[in-house]
């Protein structure tokens, strides 16, 4: 499976576990909701800066974000 798809599935799982809608989560990350949707569907290739924003919004480490990929 493509790494972008795997990462997107992992992000969706963590976002839902944290109780965020895509809209609320995008606000917490300071990223556009359609960008988050694109990540979760494996259509976006993230920058390191955005990976850091996502991890901070989820209150987890970057390594936890990539765990089990």
């Amino acid at each position: 499976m493509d790494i972008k798809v795997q990462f997107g599935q992992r992000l969706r799982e963590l976002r839902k576990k944290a109780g965020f809608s895509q809209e609320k989560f995008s606000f917490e990350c300071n990223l556009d909701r359609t960008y988050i949707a694109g990540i979760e569907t494996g259509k976006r290739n993230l920058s390191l800066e955005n990976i850091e924003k996502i991890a901070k919004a989820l209150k987890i480490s970057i390594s936890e974000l990539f765990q089990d990929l």
Side-chain angles (χ1 to χ4, degrees), residues 10-22 25 40 58:
R10 174 76 174 150
L11 176 58
R12 181 179 295 121
E13 170 190 319
L14 293 170
R15 175 182 59 77
K16 287 183 175 185
K17 184 177 177 181
F20 286 116
S21 66
Q22 275 187 352
F25 185 63
E40 290 186 358
L58 290 169

Side-chain angles (χ1 to χ4, degrees), residues 8-63:
Q9 289 174 349
R10 174 76 174 150
L11 176 58
R12 181 179 295 121
E13 170 190 319
L14 293 170
R15 175 182 59 77
K16 287 183 175 185
K17 184 177 177 181
F20 286 116
S21 66
Q22 275 187 352
E23 187 172 359
K24 174 75 172 152
F25 185 63
S26 67
F27 178 78
E28 292 293 320
C29 296
N30 195 30
L31 298 168
D32 189 86
R33 187 200 56 78
T34 60
Y35 183 75
I36 297 297
I39 294 168
E40 290 186 358
T41 57
K43 296 178 182 169
R44 291 288 191 156
N45 196 8
L46 286 79
S47 70
L48 292 173
E49 289 141 347
N50 289 342
I51 290 170
E52 181 181 44
K53 287 179 184 181
I54 288 168
K56 283 183 178 180
L58 290 169
K59 296 180 175 66
I60 63 173
S61 68
I62 292 172
S63 63

